[in-house]
Amino acid sequence: MEYALAQVGVAVFAISGVLSAARQRLDIFSVVVVGLLTAIGGGTLRDVILDVPVFWLVDLTAFWIALGASFATFLGFRFLLKLPPRLLAYLDAMGVALFSIQAIDKTLSLDHPATVAVVMGLITSIAGGILRDVVTHRPTMLLSRELYATPIVFGGILYVLLLQVIPSPLGRSVAMGLIFGLRAVAIRWQLFLPLRLTLKVDPHPFEDSSNA
């Protein structure tokens, strides 16, 4: 079941990448590349950092699903635009929740400490989206005040703590539920971090005000 959900997450990330790229009026090859970057970029970076075989090179299923979802999205772009705008955001939240916990499990299985595992969960979840936003010239979610990375970190910390007291499947479900729940609430009600946690500086701090 978890394997199937992981493939759904790959497809969802690929779709989000294509939808971003399509708005830039790119050709089909460029669009599919963006879809692939979004879908498998985070897991690839994780495996490179952990110095283990890259997951989609070991099992090509994720690659083919990402490729197929990207191509299908390109062909059905007009239909997808008719769907509720928040639907893809909710699906993306599900993928983020799943990928982060899977990354933590993989990192812990390699005998890395819990802190490293939580960081790997965050990197795996957001790296593909960052690549997507950079390539398509969109403001990245990570640099916004929206609750995006925060739920992933909270969920990851909760998961490694729960592993000490309850069975892994139950802890996994609770942590994924927390990540998805926080993201869903943030999407629904446009929640942001408090202003006191936002760095506010003069946009031109090095200009001499006396010359104004």
Side-chain angles (χ1 to χ4, degrees):
M1 181 62 178
E2 185 176 336
Y3 181 81
L5 289 174
Q7 306 313 318
V8 172
V10 167
V12 169
F13 275 28
I15 292 170
S16 70
V18 172
L19 291 178
S20 298
R23 292 185 174 89
Q24 304 299 321
R25 301 182 67 84
L26 302 178
D27 60 63
I28 185 171
F29 176 78
S30 301
V31 165
V32 170
V33 168
V34 174
L36 288 171
L37 283 175
T38 309
I40 63 179
T44 300
L45 180 59
R46 173 202 64 210
D47 291 344
V48 169
I49 293 174
L50 294 176
D51 194 25
V52 296
V54 176
F55 74 104
W56 59 270
L57 295 179
V58 176
D59 180 1
L60 281 172
T61 302
F63 173 82
W64 291 119
I65 287 178
L67 184 66
S70 299
F71 186 71
T73 305
F74 179 86
L75 297 179
F77 177 68
R78 295 184 183 278
F79 168 76
L80 290 173
L81 289 180
K82 298 177 182 178
L83 297 176
R86 288 178 179 168
L87 175 60
L88 190 61
Y90 288 127
L91 292 175
D92 180 85
M94 292 177 59
V96 163
L98 179 65
F99 284 176
S100 62
I101 300 305
Q102 286 186 327
I104 290 175
D105 280 334
K106 184 169 188 175
T107 306
L108 291 176
S109 72
L110 297 171
D111 296 325
H112 290 289
T115 301
V116 175
V118 173
V119 173
M120 287 298 104
L122 177 63
I123 289 175
T124 305
S125 303
I126 67 176
I130 292 175
L131 289 172
R132 173 196 64 205
D133 295 337
V134 169
V135 171
T136 58
H137 305 290
R138 289 180 50 188
T140 178
M141 292 288 293
L142 183 63
L143 300 183
S144 71
R145 285 176 49 228
E146 183 177 330
L147 293 177
Y148 185 67
T150 306
I152 302 170
V153 174
F154 284 171
I157 293 174
L158 175 64
Y159 182 50
V160 297
L161 292 176
L162 289 176
L163 287 176
Q164 310 303 315
V165 294
I166 62 176
S168 177
L170 178 58
R172 187 181 297 114
S173 298
V174 172
M176 287 175 56
L178 175 65
I179 296 172
F180 174 75
L182 290 176
R183 279 293 297 135
V185 169
I187 293 167
R188 174 63 180 82
W189 284 286
Q190 296 290 296
L191 299 184
F192 303 92
L193 289 174
L195 285 175
R196 62 177 174 273
L197 297 179
T198 302
L199 183 63
K200 297 180 65 177
V201 297
D202 184 341
H204 305 289
F206 301 110
E207 289 186 1
D208 186 352
S209 58
S210 63
N211 294 331

